[in-house]
Amino acid sequence: MAIKDRMSGNEAVATAMRQINPDVMGAFPITPSTEIPQYFSKYIADGKVDTEFVAVESEHSAMSTCIGASAAGARAITATSSAGLAFMWELLYVAASSRLPITMAVVNRALTGPININNDHSDSMGCRDTGWIQLYAENNQEVYDNYIQAMPISEYCRLPIMVCQDGFITSHAVENIELLDDDQVKSFVGEYEPEDYLLKAENPLSVGPYGVSPYYMEVKKAQAEAMKAAKKRILEVASDFEKLSGRKYGFFEEYKMEDAEVAVVVIGSSAGTGKASVDDLRKKGVKAGLIKIRVFRPFPMEELSKALSKVKAVAVMDKCESFSACGGPLFAETRSALYDLKERPFAVNYVYGLGGRDVTTETFEEIYGELLRIADTGEAGEVYRHIGVRDAEVQK
């Protein structure tokens, strides 16, 4: 039976953690993810879980703790944001290359500089190629559901996983949410029974050895194959979760895409604003649609290409800069996905919402208006764009 409650995104993640009862949490506070270990440490103090909480001096050490615990055969978790995630950078590669299924809650926040504590996706997008699976949520319900699905994905694929949500927008906002029963979550996630680990006396092994040239590339190829195989596992877990909760998940959500002529591709909480704009435009007879990406790694190239194959023009929205001089990371992936279509839609990129800049229905209406112009004239114009910038002087 669903348990109705109201809680913030951070509390929703901490609640999922409590229901799972992992073995080890390595944690260091950083806004806006601090509440997650704060809530969870109280669960430990109150005897609601028997997790070993390791309070460390930095995020680098938090990930080191998780790597050691996971290598030893424990189920390990952590949470971080922004510069904290950046401080883990080296160790993100270590965790992935060592095939350690660590689960990390990432509360997305702008990455310095200048220093800013508000939301964008520069932190998790910056480490998109470290070898971690990445899930993104639009709202508090989704971040709770994603977290529960994360471990059955990660542990099966032997790849670490990030469960991302938008800082303050979902992490601190209180929303209605449906929780699963504690026993349902424990049964769904199951016990962690790794085949090989450091403390297994029958089969001594080394974790994180030096990768000499004759073997290094094979390790990377194995990681790449595991990430490709993760797509199938993500859908399997989503199917099982739908049977349990009634809530359906996939690689992305298609909103009114059946007959859409123009569409937006977006990640995270801004999708809710975009859907409201689509609803308004539909009332005016505009065939607008929206795709909300849930799984960014592995990237659903073939599936997204099919979903966008019938539209005339698409705008891909990046809540971060890649400084590539030709667009953001989601745009690069999406445009690549469209390449093999015989009839490709026009594609333009909008970098938006950096450092917490407001995104409104008017923002989306402006984008859809431009897409309609492109579809009508057959001229895309400048492909790499910014929207919501205060004035022209700021762009210089």
Side-chain angles (χ1 to χ4, degrees):
M1 178 183 291
I3 303 165
K4 297 186 183 296
D5 207 335
R6 285 177 296 190
M7 57 180 59
S8 69
N10 279 345
E11 187 176 3
V13 169
T15 299
M17 290 175 171
R18 175 188 61 76
Q19 292 177 314
I20 293 167
N21 191 15
D23 299 308
V24 175
M25 182 181 207
F28 186 83
I30 183 168
T31 302
S33 66
T34 300
E35 285 183 331
I36 295 175
Q38 183 179 354
Y39 279 120
F40 194 70
S41 63
K42 190 172 190 307
Y43 296 147
I44 296 172
D46 292 343
K48 294 183 178 180
V49 294
D50 49 18
T51 306
E52 182 71 26
F53 188 95
V54 184
V56 294
E57 81 288 351
S58 73
E59 293 86 356
H60 188 281
S61 296
M63 183 51 62
S64 296
T65 296
C66 290
I67 288 172
S70 185
R75 183 174 265 165
I77 63 169
T78 190
T80 195
S81 299
S82 185
L85 183 58
F87 199 17
M88 295 177 177
W89 224 261
E90 172 195 11
L91 295 170
L92 297 179
Y93 288 93
V94 174
S97 64
S98 300
R99 307 292 297 278
L100 300 174
I102 297 161
T103 302
M104 175 161 58
V106 176
V107 183
N108 290 120
R109 169 189 145 186
L111 198 56
T112 304
I115 191 167
N116 181 293
I117 66 166
N118 299 307
N119 170 247
D120 65 33
H121 299 155
S122 55
D123 48 4
S124 60
M125 280 294 169
C127 58
R128 62 190 177 273
D129 295 333
T130 56
W132 286 60
I133 296 170
Q134 290 191 346
L135 306 181
Y136 288 82
E138 175 188 341
N139 52 46
N140 300 7
Q141 183 71 64
E142 288 186 8
V143 73
Y144 171 79
D145 293 348
N146 281 348
Y147 198 91
I148 291 170
Q149 293 175 68
M151 287 181 184
I153 296 168
S154 173
E155 291 169 0
Y156 181 90
C157 300
R158 294 207 60 81
L159 290 172
I161 189 166
M162 297 181 191
V163 180
C164 305
Q165 65 168 317
D166 285 351
F168 295 110
I169 299 171
T170 62
S171 66
H172 285 64
V174 175
E175 295 180 351
N176 292 328
I177 186 172
E178 286 190 359
L179 303 175
L180 298 173
D181 180 79
D182 290 0
D183 290 336
Q184 287 181 307
V185 173
K186 283 184 173 59
S187 176
F188 182 82
V189 174
E191 295 294 328
Y192 180 44
E193 298 177 350
E195 183 178 354
D196 295 303
Y197 50 94
L198 284 175
L199 299 183
K200 186 177 180 180
E202 310 93 296
N203 183 30
L205 57 85
S206 175
V207 174
Y210 177 69
V212 295
S213 297
Y215 296 99
Y216 182 86
M217 192 166 177
E218 284 70 21
V219 171
K220 293 302 164 186
K221 177 66 160 51
Q223 281 182 256
E225 291 299 322
M227 187 64 76
K228 286 162 61 177
K231 290 179 65 176
K232 179 181 178 182
R233 180 58 178 172
I234 288 167
L235 295 182
E236 289 174 348
V237 173
S239 177
D240 290 341
F241 188 81
E242 183 181 6
K243 295 171 186 174
L244 179 65
S245 67
R247 295 186 288 274
K248 184 178 180 63
Y249 289 94
F251 298 131
F252 48 80
E253 176 189 346
E254 297 182 55
Y255 189 73
K256 300 192 175 178
M257 286 295 296
E258 296 85 358
D259 62 344
E261 295 180 350
V262 292
V264 161
V265 179
V266 67
I267 287 179
S269 61
S270 299
T273 308
K275 291 173 186 176
S277 180
V278 168
D279 291 342
D280 291 340
L281 290 169
R282 284 280 175 168
K283 292 174 184 176
K284 299 173 184 176
V286 177
K287 292 182 178 180
L290 180 144
I291 291 180
K292 178 188 70 183
I293 300 294
R294 172 182 177 243
V295 181
F296 187 74
R297 284 291 182 268
F299 192 76
M301 177 177 283
E302 297 86 359
E303 296 81 3
L304 184 59
S305 174
K306 182 179 179 181
L308 291 171
S309 62
K310 303 300 182 183
V311 303
K312 297 176 181 178
V314 58
V316 183
M317 297 180 66
D318 275 288
K319 210 172 191 179
C320 67
E321 258 294 358
S322 70
F323 303 109
S324 67
C326 56
L330 180 58
F331 178 65
E333 302 282 4
T334 302
R335 205 180 195 198
S336 175
L338 298 175
Y339 182 80
D340 290 328
L341 290 175
K342 291 182 179 179
E343 295 185 14
R344 293 189 293 270
F346 291 100
V348 293
N349 185 213
Y350 284 93
V351 176
Y352 77 104
L354 303 184
R357 183 62 55 90
D358 283 344
V359 182
T360 66
T361 53
E362 288 77 15
T363 307
F364 279 90
E365 286 170 10
E366 181 179 344
I367 292 171
Y368 280 112
E370 181 62 10
L371 290 176
L372 291 170
R373 183 199 67 77
I374 293 170
D376 184 54
T377 64
E379 297 291 336
E382 185 178 4
V383 170
Y384 171 36
R385 311 172 179 199
H386 292 73
I387 194 165
V389 180
R390 193 168 56 256
D391 55 52
E393 290 300 313
V394 178
Q395 300 180 54
K396 293 182 179 179

